[in-house]
Amino acid sequence: MLAAETKSTAASLKRPALSVDATGKIFRRGRAAEARKGGLLYPAKMLACIDRVPQMDNHEAEADPSPPPPNDVGGEGDVSLTLQLDDGEDDEALENLRQMKLEGKIDFSAVACCGQASSDFGGMRRNRPLAVVAPATVEDVVRVVRCAGSCRSLTVAARGNGHSINGQAQAKGGVVVEMSSLRRLAAGPVVSGGTVEVGGGELWEEVLMNWLERGVAPRSWTDYLGLTVGGTLSVGGVSGQSFKYGPQICNVAEVEVVTGKGEIRVCSMEENKDLFYGVLGGMGQFGIITRARVLVQTAPRMVRWVRLVYADFDEFSSDQESLIDSSLCDSVDYLEGFVFTNSDDPLNGRPTVPLAPHQTFDQKCLPEEAGPVLYCLELAFHFTGSDDAASMEKRVGATVQGLRYRRALRFEWDVGYVEFLQRVKRKEEAARASGSWDSPHPWMNILVGKRNIREFDRKVFRDILRQGIDGPLLVYPLNKNKWDVRMSAALPEDEIFYLVALLRFIRPGGPSVDSMLAQNQEILHWCISENYDFKLYIPHYTAEAQWMSHFGKYWATFKSKKAMFDPKAILAPGQFIFSRKRFPTLLANT
């Protein structure tokens, strides 16, 4: 056996080495004017420019919290970047991909592979794939996964709108499938049970506009609608409606999935249940969601948007909890909250609270003992049926009369339903205009148990983050009984837990990415050292022990489902949960 292996190794060393250029053309290695850097081949004259491009090993990059250099590829448009392929394995993968018959398109060029497919909204990780596929049909997705399965180490990542933060939708040396090419914009009939069919590659804003014409809309949303259906259903999908209807993953009746075995499965609570519960919140580990049937409700005409200011966290959090866990819950259609600084800072302070242009924040209405940070409870009430201004006043008044907010700091505004749901869109437009939308985003989302949230406020909100975060700092409670624990999303133990979202933006003259990441780590270390009941929402760990701790008692189930639906660990390599190379014995017996 040893002699045979030695002979095989020698033969592979003699195999002509291949590379792929910017046009996808395969050539033998050894061009005179090229040099190797970080696994890529470049014309020698480009090395000075390429020093600005992050070329890190995936595992090293995830372990290092520091950000890479700016995401650019040089600047000389006529110079091609060429991907260095390892002998044997990648040669095989490249040849198999080129022979694959698709109804859509496959692109090996540097323009595609060094473009958006290699990066994400976070802007802190960059990994170049071997190819980018724009599928025309679900069968194209099947072909890609099966092709990867025929190779020894090829992986596949489904990319929605690229809104991940830490490279979760990237595939270094693998295939990125652009799910946006599978959008289904033709609306069908609303079926029994109040559900509609949507494509996995559709943006939620497209779902909104498409179905609003028929008078219905999904019950549960995310704050930002520029995300794909398949993307949010793979992590959870949380917003201000979640206290009432649960996250988006709990508002799904059926999903169509392409598994890691290259099989199309339709699953629900009755059919293929293991896959149904696994794929929802499963971070893409068990399958790629290509279609979903989601629950809808009658769409309202208008929304009464309300913000109430608090100076005391105990009063703020107690009022939030009372609203989500009482009869008043039925009268409220949306509940969130946020922390802001007691300052005139336009990004972090009091000016962020008023809703309408004519409204102002009168700081004289704050108590003398008000600290460096304040709190805002945010509510929304739908105008439905025969509701008018008078009936809405009565409804809102009955809801807030027992709350302990600062009475002179109550802001209200009536807006259209679409305008309310697209509220983050306006912030996106402003961020794009300023350039901060395209800068790195060291965001972090944590789920913190009720038992620890007041101490979290003292240490994190009023100490570590007392100067603000240059972006929204959300904090609001969720009811565990609105989640289905059979799904893959990991949750704290407490029956009520809080989403804390640090949605940071980079501004000129503001804190650096390094300092923001350091704050994130300080917060995590504090939670761990104090033994908090917490989970990262949309986590990014790199060690198996970390993932075991994250999933806790559900780790064995998660691992067994991986073996069942993606035994070769082909899917979602950017999550760093399983790897064809890192865990060679993990799925050996499947």
Side-chain angles (χ1 to χ4, degrees):
M1 177 64 72
L2 180 61
E5 289 177 350
T6 303
K7 182 177 179 180
S8 174
T9 301
S12 67
L13 291 175
K14 294 178 182 180
R15 183 186 291 113
L18 301 178
S19 290
V20 55
D21 67 13
T23 66
K25 180 180 179 181
I26 300 175
F27 58 85
R28 294 175 184 271
R29 295 179 194 145
R31 291 183 174 180
E34 293 175 333
R36 182 184 302 182
K37 184 174 181 65
L40 297 181
L41 286 176
Y42 299 98
K45 67 177 182 177
M46 279 291 289
L47 289 182
C49 293
I50 298 306
D51 280 336
R52 303 200 302 274
V53 183
Q55 303 297 343
M56 300 176 292
D57 177 80
N58 258 344
H59 311 302
E60 294 174 351
E62 287 292 338
D64 180 3
S66 61
N71 285 344
D72 58 58
V73 292
E76 298 185 30
D78 59 338
V79 179
S80 65
L81 305 184
T82 56
L83 178 65
Q84 174 76 49
L85 303 177
D86 296 332
D87 285 320
E89 291 185 8
D90 287 340
D91 292 349
E92 172 194 46
L94 180 60
E95 292 173 353
N96 287 355
L97 287 171
R98 290 183 64 84
Q99 293 171 11
M100 187 171 52
K101 304 297 183 183
L102 298 175
E103 296 179 52
K105 298 179 180 179
I106 185 167
D107 195 337
F108 298 94
S109 72
V111 173
C113 296
C114 290
Q116 65 178 21
S118 69
S119 61
D120 59 19
F121 181 70
M124 297 176 292
R125 302 286 180 264
R126 186 169 183 180
N127 292 289
R128 176 176 173 167
L130 181 60
V132 179
V133 169
T137 63
V138 175
E139 287 71 24
D140 274 352
V141 180
V142 170
R143 295 180 184 106
V144 171
V145 174
R146 288 182 178 177
C147 178
S150 71
C151 303
R152 281 169 283 178
S153 63
L154 193 63
T155 57
V156 177
R159 185 181 190 277
N161 205 25
H163 209 75
S164 58
I165 299 301
N166 291 284
Q168 289 96 330
Q170 296 173 19
K172 181 180 179 181
V175 181
V176 170
V177 180
E178 293 285 5
M179 296 301 293
S180 58
S181 66
L182 278 183
R183 293 174 180 169
R184 298 181 178 181
L185 300 181
V190 178
V191 302
S192 60
T195 66
V196 299
E197 181 178 302
V198 295
E202 279 189 66
L203 299 178
W204 284 105
E205 62 186 2
E206 295 170 337
V207 173
L208 169 64
M209 301 310 297
N210 196 36
W211 286 99
L212 199 60
E213 296 178 358
R214 289 159 174 76
V216 298
R219 305 190 309 176
S220 188
W221 294 97
T222 56
D223 285 335
Y224 178 57
L225 303 188
L227 309 173
T228 60
V229 171
T232 65
L233 294 185
S234 294
V235 293
V238 179
S239 186
Q241 301 84 13
S242 299
F243 81 95
K244 190 169 189 175
Y245 297 114
Q248 289 182 315
I249 56 175
C250 295
N251 286 269
V252 178
E254 178 183 280
V255 288
E256 178 186 79
V257 176
V258 175
T259 70
K261 293 181 177 180
E263 301 171 341
I264 300 176
R265 296 278 190 90
V266 175
C267 47
S268 65
M269 293 182 183
E270 292 79 30
E271 183 181 5
N272 295 313
K273 292 188 292 185
D274 285 344
L275 182 57
F276 179 76
Y277 292 120
V279 77
L280 293 172
M283 294 179 284
Q285 291 302 304
F286 314 121
I288 298 172
I289 297 174
T290 55
R291 179 180 58 80
R293 191 166 287 283
V294 300
L295 276 64
V296 295
Q297 63 182 0
T298 301
R301 300 179 292 107
M302 298 281 292
V303 170
R304 170 69 57 88
W305 195 356
V306 179
R307 284 181 174 175
L308 311 173
V309 173
Y310 291 74
D312 182 84
F313 184 81
D314 285 348
E315 294 177 349
F316 167 70
S317 57
S318 294
D319 281 355
Q320 284 186 314
E321 291 171 16
S322 69
L323 287 174
I324 72 168
D325 198 30
S326 69
S327 59
L328 293 175
C329 173
D330 291 337
S331 69
V332 179
D333 295 295
Y334 164 99
L335 183 150
E336 289 193 8
F338 60 91
V339 181
F340 61 100
T341 63
N342 189 4
S343 71
D344 291 325
D345 185 337
L347 289 177
N348 299 294
R350 296 184 295 268
T352 63
V353 177
L355 292 168
H358 66 276
Q359 296 173 347
T360 58
F361 190 114
D362 186 357
Q363 68 185 84
K364 296 178 182 178
C365 298
L366 292 171
E368 292 183 2
E369 65 273 16
V373 298
L374 303 168
Y375 313 93
C376 181
L377 171 58
E378 186 170 56
L379 306 172
F381 302 81
H382 292 173
F383 283 86
T384 57
S386 59
D387 280 344
D388 56 20
S391 62
M392 181 57 71
E393 288 289 345
K394 183 177 180 180
R395 179 179 164 197
V396 173
T399 302
V400 306
Q401 64 179 356
L403 304 182
R404 291 166 288 177
Y405 64 96
R406 306 301 299 179
R407 285 301 189 264
L409 294 174
R410 170 175 163 180
F411 303 90
E412 299 185 17
W413 197 22
D414 290 350
V415 297
Y417 183 57
V418 172
E419 182 179 358
F420 175 74
L421 290 180
Q422 290 279 42
R423 61 196 179 279
V424 180
K425 188 76 171 179
R426 296 193 298 275
K427 295 183 179 180
E428 175 190 355
E429 292 166 352
R432 287 189 184 278
S434 69
S436 62
W437 190 262
D438 297 319
S439 299
H441 298 89
W443 289 11
M444 183 170 69
N445 296 275
I446 318 176
L447 303 176
V448 181
K450 174 183 174 178
R451 73 183 80 169
N452 302 122
I453 195 63
R454 285 160 181 79
E455 180 63 20
F456 189 94
D457 164 64
R458 185 192 67 79
K459 177 63 178 179
V460 178
F461 298 150
R462 289 190 277 158
D463 182 7
I464 299 175
L465 303 178
R466 63 186 179 278
Q467 300 298 324
I469 63 171
D470 288 347
L473 175 49
L474 307 183
V475 53
Y476 57 92
L478 299 165
N479 266 321
K480 195 172 186 177
N481 62 18
K482 298 295 183 179
W483 295 63
D484 192 328
V485 296
R486 293 172 293 182
M487 294 175 180
S488 293
L491 304 174
E493 295 178 359
D494 283 354
E495 288 303 312
I496 291 179
F497 54 90
Y498 282 74
L499 172 69
V500 178
L502 282 64
L503 309 181
R504 302 174 181 271
F505 284 82
I506 304 298
R507 61 181 171 91
S512 67
V513 175
D514 281 346
S515 66
M516 290 183 173
L517 289 169
Q519 277 190 339
N520 290 352
Q521 289 302 311
E522 183 181 1
I523 294 168
L524 282 180
H525 291 160
W526 172 261
C527 292
I528 294 169
S529 66
E530 296 299 309
N531 197 30
Y532 277 8
D533 176 28
F534 84 99
K535 297 292 183 184
L536 280 180
Y537 176 65
I538 317 179
H540 62 103
Y541 296 120
T542 58
E544 183 177 13
Q546 292 173 315
W547 286 112
M548 291 176 66
S549 175
H550 175 74
F551 285 108
K553 64 183 180 181
Y554 298 104
W555 170 246
T557 300
F558 195 87
K559 190 174 175 180
S560 68
K561 287 186 177 182
K562 184 68 171 180
M564 187 184 306
F565 301 114
D566 184 22
K568 294 183 179 180
I570 291 168
L571 301 176
Q575 297 283 0
F576 285 90
I577 306 176
F578 305 101
S579 169
R580 301 185 80 170
K581 294 183 178 179
R582 289 177 67 205
F583 300 102
T585 62
L586 180 65
L587 308 172
N589 297 322
T590 62

